[in-house]
Amino acid sequence: MGEGSTVTDETLSGFRQSIDNIDAALVFLLAERFKVTQAVGRYKATAGLPPADPGREEAQIARLRGLARQADLDPDFSEKFLRFIIDEVIRHHERVREAGAAAPRLAPMKIGIVGAGFIGRAVARLAVARGHQVMLSNSREPKSLMSTAASIGCAVGTAAEAAAFGDVVLLAIPFSALDTLDPAMFAGRIVLDAGNYYPARDGAIAALDSGETTTSQMTAARLPGARLVKAFNAILERDIEKDAKPAGRPGRRALPIAGDDEAAKAIVAGLLDGLGYDVVDGGPLSESWRFERARPAYCVPLDRAGLEAALADAGHLVADGSWRQ
């Protein structure tokens, strides 16, 4: 009896393990499906296509019912499951369309992004949703980004290709990785510098620790000829899409920029406004320390007046990591 119970328990455990494995695979498959359908939603919004496509949806359901019968699965259950997914997808497409309709329309730009981490991908998604063309790159081969590109709806290339592609280029890499870049790629380009100095990651840099210079001044020195504008360094990746709002919306978040090239700053300010943010000019690159790591203006959601006040506060540092709470 006892031995038989053990066999039964082991058998049941095996069945449950199989179920758990299948459930895990199903979750990941659904996640991949939603990534692609979200990209479809962004494309429909930019192309002016309706969120729903009843003909395709009915064809999908008919096909799934047929597959269910072949798999000896209840077709009615399969249809209910697919209709739930379709309804969720349509709601997402509608939200994307509404956001795009409310956002100000500016001339589409080509945006090259060097760095496919959290910041680079979030900016890419927002830019594509606003009708811009984006090329994303990382330190590996472009093929390593193919699934990311499919989910975002952007192109991929090498860092050199992304820099050549863009009317503007977003530099979103660790500060310590600057030395891996060929400065010639950025000559004459408007470069949005989203970099930040984290000693634990980048190693201690005495000139930054002492306040002798700023991260963007060091970046500009490393990339001579680039029209550098400090931007997108003072917002968390999780907020980039969430906080974007149409111009004139109460409580619209403001982002700081800094740069020595006034024409380049004007172009970047227009881009940020079109993406969904008010802009506060923090001055030249030498003043960009005011919104570097641990400053009151760093990664804190503020409207224009609040950001202006934070930039003027040069007297204290905030607790390290407090901006992620």
Side-chain angles (χ1 to χ4, degrees):
M1 182 73 175
E3 183 177 349
S5 298
T6 301
V7 172
T8 301
D9 289 345
E10 289 176 352
T11 301
L12 181 59
S13 177
F15 288 144
R16 287 174 172 171
Q17 184 61 55
S18 296
I19 291 170
D20 291 347
N21 291 340
I22 293 168
D23 286 347
L26 182 60
V27 167
F28 283 103
L29 284 172
L30 285 173
E32 289 301 312
R33 189 187 196 283
F34 274 109
K35 285 179 183 177
V36 177
T37 57
Q38 286 166 4
V40 171
R42 290 189 288 269
Y43 174 77
K44 284 183 174 181
T46 57
L49 299 173
D53 186 344
R56 170 170 166 73
E57 290 147 18
E58 291 305 317
Q60 280 183 287
I61 289 170
R63 175 176 173 272
L64 191 68
R65 289 183 67 92
L67 291 172
R69 282 189 288 269
Q70 293 176 27
D72 198 23
L73 181 68
D74 182 359
D76 291 337
F77 168 79
S78 301
E79 179 175 343
K80 290 177 183 177
F81 182 69
L82 185 59
R83 284 195 183 278
F84 172 77
I85 294 175
I86 289 173
D87 289 345
E88 285 297 310
V89 168
I90 291 173
R91 278 193 285 272
H92 176 268
H93 290 186
E94 288 172 343
R95 289 195 297 270
V96 171
R97 182 184 63 176
E98 291 166 1
R105 290 293 177 182
L106 71 162
M109 299 180 71
K110 291 183 177 181
I111 303 172
I113 300 180
V114 177
F118 293 122
I119 295 293
R121 294 198 304 269
V123 172
R125 286 191 294 268
L126 180 60
V128 168
R130 295 294 189 266
H132 300 290
Q133 298 179 55
V134 174
M135 180 179 285
L136 193 63
S137 68
N138 63 8
S139 59
R140 300 186 298 279
E141 294 182 359
K143 64 182 181 181
S144 67
L145 290 171
M146 296 308 294
S147 61
T148 300
S151 68
I152 293 174
C154 68
V156 294
T158 64
E161 289 168 340
F165 170 86
D167 299 317
V168 299
V169 182
L170 173 66
L171 188 59
I173 62 175
F175 189 68
S176 56
L178 276 176
D179 289 343
T180 67
L181 300 176
D182 178 5
M185 297 189 308
F186 303 96
R189 297 287 175 181
I190 296 175
V191 176
L192 284 69
D193 173 25
N196 288 301
Y197 166 52
Y198 279 82
R201 177 194 64 191
D202 302 316
I205 301 174
L208 293 176
D209 293 335
S210 67
E212 175 185 336
T213 188
T214 67
T215 56
S216 285
Q217 284 178 295
M218 293 185 70
T219 302
R222 170 64 184 155
L223 306 177
R227 304 171 65 189
L228 201 80
V229 179
K230 189 74 168 179
F232 273 123
N233 75 298
I235 183 170
L236 297 175
E237 71 283 351
R238 69 190 183 202
D239 295 337
I240 288 174
E241 296 171 272
K242 174 176 68 68
D243 287 357
K245 295 180 181 179
R249 183 74 62 86
R252 192 189 200 209
R253 183 167 178 171
L255 295 181
I257 64 172
D260 299 333
D261 185 322
E262 294 299 324
K265 280 200 293 187
I267 290 172
V268 172
L271 173 62
L272 293 183
D273 179 58
L275 290 176
Y277 294 95
D278 286 345
V279 179
V280 175
D281 187 346
L285 292 179
S286 61
E287 292 295 308
S288 62
W289 60 268
R290 295 179 180 275
F291 53 98
E292 289 183 338
R293 178 184 58 85
R295 293 290 174 177
Y298 182 68
C299 291
V300 179
L302 299 167
D303 62 11
R304 183 187 297 277
L307 180 56
E308 289 173 346
L311 290 172
D313 182 358
H316 74 285
L317 298 176
V318 301
D320 201 35
S322 61
W323 48 87
R324 284 199 171 272
Q325 296 177 0

